[in-house]
Amino acid sequence: MEKRIADITRGTKETNITVKLNIDGSGESKISSGIGFLDHMLELFAFWGHFDLEVITKEADLNVDIHHTNEDLGIVLGQVFKKALGDKSGINRLGSMSVPMEDVTANVAVDISGRGSLKLNLDSPGQLGKPQVQDGYDIKYAEHFFEAFAKQLGMNLNIKIDNVNADLHATLEPVFKALGKALDIATQIDPRRKGIPSTKGIID
């Protein structure tokens, strides 16, 4: 099997980000985005997805806020996965996983269909409300990151978080773990599959 390795550098007036990826790795990561909380989440994503992942941010307008770096990293991550997958021949394409953490359960389903979309559903019973901000990061930043990632990869990404916790870490850690596992399943090669996993014969 051809090595599914790619790297992409994207530079704008706001950020300069390089991402290197080996889909068939061992879960090793070296991540430095300038956003500590997101770095930790991506380390979990890479570890549980068995992806070797390196993120290098050379320039970022973090003195303004984290919005551009957060979203642009999602963009580049989606692009590098799409590049590494090539024509997507033989992949499972579909993947899903449920991961608990304390009283939170994250349910993540993916379809590498060529049609990028995000559906994020937060089930927040009682008085917990939405998760609190942690180190400047909040649930809206996570939503922007996931949306950029899904659109650039061309992936349907559906996330449902049951019993959302006021602790952002406890809420998002199982999401990133589940996303890693689900995407690992979806990107693995099925030896029974000959060609591209679509009745159309192509995935954009």
Side-chain angles (χ1 to χ4, degrees), residues 31-190:
I31 300 171
S32 179
S33 70
I35 307 171
F37 183 82
L38 182 58
D39 289 354
H40 177 50
M41 293 298 111
L42 289 174
E43 288 166 0
L44 294 168
F45 165 76
F47 180 86
W48 289 101
H50 301 283
F51 309 126
D52 290 344
L53 181 64
E54 183 175 358
V55 174
I56 305 165
T57 303
K58 293 181 180 176
E59 299 170 13
D61 58 353
L62 293 170
N63 60 312
V64 178
D65 62 25
I66 66 175
H67 172 80
H68 294 135
T69 301
N70 176 71
E71 185 172 35
D72 288 1
L73 180 49
I75 289 170
V76 183
L77 189 64
Q79 290 174 343
V80 80
F81 264 93
K82 185 170 184 177
K83 182 178 178 181
L85 284 170
D87 68 359
K88 306 171 185 69
S89 182
I91 65 169
N92 286 320
R93 182 178 143 173
L94 308 172
S96 64
M97 183 60 60
S98 294
V99 173
M101 183 171 179
E102 298 171 359
D103 57 344
V104 178
T105 302
N107 304 282
V108 175
V110 305
D111 178 5
I112 305 174
S113 63
R115 298 178 298 276
S117 68
L118 169 69
K119 174 64 176 178
L120 176 60
N121 186 349
L122 304 176
D123 175 21
S124 180
Q127 77 281 9
L128 288 178
K130 68 179 183 179
Q132 297 172 356
V133 175
Q134 180 162 336
D135 297 328
Y137 207 83
D138 65 24
I139 198 72
K140 290 303 293 183
Y141 283 127
E143 185 173 9
H144 293 156
F145 172 83
F146 290 135
E147 183 174 32
F149 182 26
K151 284 186 175 180
Q152 293 298 318
L153 173 51
M155 166 178 65
N156 296 139
L157 172 56
N158 289 3
I159 300 169
K160 186 174 186 295
I161 309 173
D162 292 331
N163 202 37
V164 169
N165 197 300
D167 180 354
L168 184 68
H169 197 145
T171 295
L172 285 182
E173 179 167 325
V175 175
F176 277 85
K177 287 177 177 176
L179 177 57
K181 293 290 289 184
L183 199 53
D184 178 41
I185 294 167
T187 57
Q188 287 306 298
I189 301 297
D190 183 342

